[in-house]
Amino acid sequence: MSAKYQLDYLDQLESESIHILREVAGQFERPALLFSGGKDSITLVHLALKAFRPGKFPFPLVHIDTEHNFPEAIEFRDNLVKKIGEKLIVRSVGETIKEKALVENRGRFYSRNALQTYTLLDTIEEFRFDACIGGARRDEEKARAKERVFSVRDEFGQWDPKKQRPELWSIYNGRIRQGENVRCFPISNWTELDIWNYIRRENIDLPSIYFSHTRKCIIRPGGILAYSDFIFTDKDDIIEDRKVRFRTVGDMTCTAAVESEANSLDDIIHEIEETKISERGATRLDDQTSDAAMEDRKKSGYF
């Protein structure tokens, strides 16, 4: 009698995500995969390789670049794209600011993160993308938990959490009207810990900033920021070397580090198992401006 093969939970998550990626390819005419060089989008690329190789991806990779990114992430992005031989489209928030005469919020808590929305919507219009794949997870932030796997945006790029479509029996409805767009989240049902366990199992390469290292930091009550020319400092800021790592990768002006000795995947997994603070709750300062900061950005078109 043959033994019955059982999928473990990572196999199940992988299978679901690959199915979603193939649904996107099958239901939409001009999809794109939003890629930042962070661990979640790197995991998405790995899943896409499993879903579509030996063929080419049925979509380009798209990076909405604030120009305030961690250099380690940008270097990794370029090396990965070269390695897999896929198309990368980069559009600059700085160029959008110039073209639209947008006003940047200067000062101690300066960030271009919210201005990414303008560049993203312009890029969707430029290439007529009808679906954008992203690495958002429901455990990241409470507004993310309101999303469906296929999340419809109206002709203005806006999101209404009260108009989410049912997805019973994992049936995804990609029908849209002219001008509408769908944001697709293949790893929506994964947690941060799932991502790290999968990265360890699949031996996926990551930018070095995810592992403990010593760098010059700005120490503030709200968090530890990597020192850079993008960040405005004042006399109250403490600037010193700290041993840190980053749980998430975003704009350097609003992505905080955590003090850590974790320099291996096993160490990081153990650290996450012990923490009681969510990934974005601990590290994304732009989410701390109000209780509804993320939801407000999403309603206006943010990813």
Side-chain angles (χ1 to χ4, degrees):
M1 183 174 67
S2 61
K4 184 178 179 181
Y5 175 69
Q6 288 187 321
L7 297 176
D8 72 10
Y9 84 101
L10 289 177
D11 290 325
Q12 292 172 6
L13 289 172
E14 177 189 75
S15 178
E16 177 188 53
S17 298
I18 288 173
H19 168 68
I20 293 167
L21 285 167
R22 289 172 176 166
E23 281 290 305
V24 174
Q27 292 196 44
F28 298 98
E29 294 182 3
R30 301 179 69 85
L33 192 156
L34 300 185
F35 183 72
S36 65
K39 68 182 186 310
D40 297 317
S41 60
I42 292 168
T43 297
L44 274 181
V45 169
H46 184 82
L47 290 164
L49 290 169
K50 289 198 170 190
F52 302 111
R53 282 294 190 257
K56 300 285 286 184
F57 289 178
F59 40 69
L61 306 183
V62 175
H63 185 205
I64 305 302
D65 186 359
T66 65
E67 300 175 315
H68 291 171
N69 297 287
F70 290 89
E72 298 97 325
I74 296 301
E75 181 182 5
F76 186 93
R77 179 200 71 184
D78 293 340
N79 289 338
L80 178 61
V81 169
K82 182 178 180 180
K83 177 181 177 181
I84 64 177
E86 295 292 341
K87 181 179 180 181
L88 173 67
I89 296 169
V90 179
R91 288 296 180 267
S92 164
V93 175
E95 288 300 315
T96 304
I97 291 170
K98 293 177 184 177
E99 291 170 6
K100 295 183 178 293
L102 300 176
V103 177
E104 297 186 70
N105 292 324
R106 299 289 179 173
R108 194 177 186 196
F109 300 103
Y110 162 66
S111 172
R112 285 182 172 178
N113 222 31
L115 299 180
Q116 285 180 291
T117 298
Y118 296 93
T119 310
L120 174 60
L121 296 180
D122 285 350
T123 304
I124 289 171
E125 182 178 4
E126 177 185 355
F127 292 96
R128 295 182 291 115
F129 293 134
D130 51 2
C132 292
I133 305 163
R137 306 185 323 268
R138 289 189 175 119
D139 73 320
E140 286 181 275
E141 201 273 344
K142 54 183 177 293
R144 298 285 203 204
K146 297 180 181 180
E147 293 274 22
R148 297 290 192 264
V149 174
F150 278 18
S151 182
V152 178
R153 303 301 199 269
D154 66 19
E155 62 271 26
F156 302 106
Q158 296 176 333
W159 173 69
D160 186 345
K162 296 179 180 179
K163 294 183 179 179
Q164 295 289 290
R165 296 172 176 176
E167 292 178 338
L168 305 176
W169 304 292
S170 298
I171 296 175
Y172 307 110
N173 180 1
R175 292 185 180 181
I176 54 174
R177 300 183 183 91
Q178 183 70 30
E180 291 180 335
N181 180 269
V182 175
R183 311 292 167 83
C184 306
F185 304 113
I187 59 172
S188 186
N189 291 327
W190 299 49
T191 66
E192 181 187 13
L193 188 57
D194 294 334
I195 291 291
W196 281 107
N197 279 321
Y198 187 72
I199 287 169
R200 178 173 62 179
R201 189 186 82 168
E202 299 290 306
N203 195 28
I204 299 172
D205 290 333
L206 293 174
S208 59
I209 58 174
Y210 281 109
F211 301 90
S212 179
H213 59 286
T214 301
R215 72 189 305 150
K216 184 182 289 187
C217 295
I218 304 170
I219 317 301
R220 290 177 173 171
I224 302 171
L225 293 171
Y227 181 85
S228 75
D229 294 336
F230 310 133
I231 299 177
F232 296 94
T233 60
D234 60 34
K235 59 183 178 60
D236 295 324
D237 288 329
I238 300 170
I239 301 174
E240 61 187 27
D241 288 343
R242 290 286 181 93
K243 200 164 189 180
V244 300
R245 73 175 193 87
F246 292 85
R247 289 175 67 182
T248 184
V249 173
D251 191 322
M252 290 185 75
T253 60
C254 61
T255 304
V258 293
E259 292 194 84
S260 173
E261 298 285 338
N263 55 18
S264 71
L265 292 174
D266 288 341
D267 292 341
I268 290 171
I269 289 169
H270 177 71
E271 188 175 88
I272 294 169
E273 288 173 335
E274 295 296 317
T275 189
K276 295 181 180 179
I277 304 175
S278 70
E279 176 183 329
R280 291 187 71 97
T283 62
R284 295 304 290 267
L285 304 187
D286 51 335
D287 290 345
Q288 299 174 19
T289 56
S290 78
D291 288 341
M294 169 65 84
E295 183 161 333
D296 290 342
R297 293 201 304 275
K298 287 171 69 63
K299 285 179 178 178
S300 67
Y302 185 79
F303 195 75

